[in-house]
Amino acid sequence: MPILIVQHIPPMFSAILAERLDAQSALKVVEAAGGETLTPGVVYVAPGNYHMVLQRQGNAVVTVLNQLPPENSCRPAVDPLFRSVAQIYGPRALAVVLTGMGQDGLRGSEDIRAAGGRV
């Protein structure tokens, strides 16, 4: 399965985070650029100042970046990602929230649970 990470950090730090995780992990870790087809065993880090969501394109699922308004005072925020994960993966989704930034992750987690996924 692919892994998606949203961290509330500025743009330059998201690239550094992806590079550091890539160097220390057996999995390939990249900062998402948008348009990547999700690949099992690859970790995609949302770039700073961009929400990352998923979109189905035919049989593939791809990353989409946007600069819609901040949610929960954050961009990137995890709620937009979780909403898209719930829509695409439904009961096959697994979400993990390691810490909270205010309410970010709450609504998206509810969406994943409502779709039959696990949090």
Side-chain angles (χ1 to χ4, degrees), residues 3-8 72 74 77-83 85 93-113 118-119:
I3 298 170
L4 305 152
I5 297 175
V6 172
Q7 178 74 31
H8 304 126
N72 307 300
C74 302
V78 76
D79 277 342
L81 175 64
F82 281 4
R83 283 194 302 269
V85 166
L94 171 63
V96 177
V97 180
L98 298 178
T99 66
M101 181 68 168
Q103 295 289 314
D104 193 32
L106 174 63
R107 299 279 186 252
S109 292
E110 291 171 341
D111 290 341
I112 287 176
R113 292 278 298 146
R118 301 188 74 150
V119 178

Side-chain angles (χ1 to χ4, degrees), residues 7-103:
Q7 178 74 31
H8 304 126
I9 53 179
M12 80 169 90
F13 293 110
S14 55
I16 293 168
L17 174 64
E19 290 171 13
R20 176 167 258 181
L21 291 174
D22 185 57
Q24 296 181 9
S25 173
L27 300 174
K28 179 180 173 124
V29 181
V30 299
E31 181 183 44
E36 294 96 349
T37 298
L38 293 189
T39 304
V42 177
V43 179
Y44 303 88
V45 176
N49 203 32
Y50 285 87
H51 295 304
M52 179 171 64
V53 298
L54 303 181
Q55 185 176 73
R56 186 170 296 286
Q57 290 185 355
N59 291 331
V61 176
V62 300
T63 62
V64 176
L65 304 179
N66 70 61
Q67 288 189 310
L68 292 174
E71 291 191 30
N72 307 300
S73 302
C74 302
R75 189 175 61 214
V78 76
D79 277 342
L81 175 64
F82 281 4
R83 283 194 302 269
S84 67
V85 166
Q87 290 174 355
I88 292 173
Y89 291 104
R92 297 179 298 147
L94 171 63
V96 177
V97 180
L98 298 178
T99 66
M101 181 68 168
Q103 295 289 314

